[in-house]
Amino acid sequence: QVQLVESGGGLVQPGGSLRLSCAASGSIFSINAMRWYRQAPGKERELVASISIGGSTNYADSVKGRFTISRDNAKNTVFLQMNSLKPEDTAVYYCNALVRVGITSPWSEIWGQGTLVTVSS
């Protein structure tokens, strides 16, 4: 069974930085796209950033220029570097990955448990 475990959330002042990590573990043959989503209180979950297996990235307009997504394929890990944080970035951040456990297995979408980021003075 494949699991995603996030870490790095916490409380930070406006203008500060945090780095989120998400490590995949279990019987993994291959990981395709990896993504970060977030869900603020009372709002729907939204896509923040994504990165392909080849390293191509996409960002939500609200975080462009402030957040950077990266991955370490050898360690099955994805990162989200968040700079110039704003109170509106406060949310639970979820890691998401498209994974397969064997060469003939179908792709499965896996979610992490989420990590809380609070931006407040």
Side-chain angles (χ1 to χ4, degrees):
Q1 185 170 348
V2 178
Q3 291 185 327
L4 297 178
V5 178
E6 299 108 331
S7 60
L11 174 64
V12 63
Q13 291 187 343
S17 297
L18 279 177
R19 188 185 192 223
L20 305 182
S21 300
C22 172
S25 63
S27 179
I28 299 169
F29 176 78
S30 179
I31 302 178
N32 200 322
M34 302 187 83
R35 306 178 182 96
W36 287 98
Y37 286 78
R38 67 185 180 187
Q39 187 166 19
K43 294 188 177 182
E44 293 188 353
R45 191 172 297 188
E46 63 171 348
L47 178 63
V48 175
S50 65
I51 185 167
S52 71
I53 191 171
S56 297
T57 59
N58 283 287
Y59 298 92
D61 287 343
S62 58
V63 306
K64 279 181 181 177
R66 300 188 298 121
F67 290 10
T68 302
I69 188 171
S70 60
R71 65 190 286 173
D72 183 336
N73 290 331
K75 296 183 178 180
N76 292 330
T77 301
V78 63
F79 307 96
L80 186 68
Q81 178 66 44
M82 304 185 294
N83 299 329
S84 302
L85 283 161
K86 305 175 181 179
E88 51 263 44
D89 295 318
T90 295
V92 177
Y93 284 70
Y94 296 91
C95 176
N96 169 282
L98 209 56
V99 176
R100 59 178 179 174
V101 297
I103 194 169
T104 59
S105 302
W107 292 100
S108 298
E109 188 173 37
I110 308 296
W111 290 88
Q113 82 287 354
T115 185
L116 178 63
V117 171
T118 303
V119 184
S120 176
S121 55

